[in-house]
Amino acid sequence: MIMPQESLIVEAVPVLGDNYVWMFASNNKEYVAVDPGEATAVSQWLDRLGASLSHILLTHHHNDHTGGVADLKRRYGAKIIGSKADAQRLPPLDHAVKEGDILNVGECQVQIIETPGHTMGHVIYKVGDALFVGDTLFSMGCGRLFEGSPEVMWQSLQKIQTLPDATKIYPAHEYTLTNHGFALMLEPDNQDLLALQKELLIKNDNDTPTLPTTLAAEKKLNPFLRTEDDQFAKKIGLQAKTPQERFAILREKRNHF
Ligand code: ZN
Ligand code: FE
């Protein structure tokens, strides 16, 4: 059964400083948690709503995304879903998934997309027009290349860009303000970036999530999704390079920003 997109509820539970556990549901009694890096904040959030946890979706094995799984499994018996390719490094999985799989998770249909780069087993989850991207894509940024080559990550980001522009992007970290600073350093006269500055600072001061973002906004603002734009490349002095080379250089620069 395909979920009417408007009826998907998505909420953020902030954990561990700058992670978000995204909680989604088609009704407000039974939630799915994406990347619960910590259990306490998630169970307190569910308790406040009188809701339970039916499933846990994992994008990759890093502890800030999986640290809460064992406790939440014990408490709620939630079914755990993660990449088949990474099953040995993930907590014990109830469903091991791969590219193209479509799972019925409660009343929602969840599509699995493999996006190697940050880790080789990284997967992301599409639920209606919501896309839970873990550490592959951030607002105005992308994940660090712990395991994949720049070419592999670039290809994963290309795959995401084939989805509809209205896709809502839910990354696992609040890195927006720093990423905005990096984007603005590359392109100090970008009016779209300048227009965002005040809003981001206010949200930062109030601990308000800057997410989700949309694919349309990221195509416009995110330097890592603009490597095929020759005008942008020229502005940042990389016009002679291929998009993949531009991506590699930008990712390296971001590591030192
Ligand atoms: Zn990670
Ligand atoms: Fe992370």
Side-chain angles (χ1 to χ4, degrees), residues 19 60 64-65 118 135 173:
N19 279 73
H60 66 294
D64 61 311
H65 301 253
H118 177 69
D135 286 358
H173 288 274

Side-chain angles (χ1 to χ4, degrees), residues 33-82:
V34 185
D35 285 351
E38 192 210 63
T40 311
V42 172
S43 37
Q44 282 172 354
W45 186 90
L46 288 164
D47 286 352
R48 251 195 325 271
L49 290 176
S52 70
L53 188 70
S54 65
H55 295 79
I56 294 171
L57 304 183
L58 301 174
T59 63
H60 66 294
H61 71 285
H62 289 158
N63 198 55
D64 61 311
H65 301 253
T66 57
V69 170
D71 280 355
L72 292 170
K73 176 78 179 174
R74 212 171 300 127
R75 172 140 187 213
Y76 300 98
K79 296 259 183 290
I80 303 167
I81 296 163

Side-chain angles (χ1 to χ4, degrees), residues 23-35:
M23 307 292 295
F24 74 86
S26 54
N27 63 65
N28 41 32
K29 287 289 154 229
E30 212 167 43
Y31 277 84
V32 177
V34 185
D35 285 351

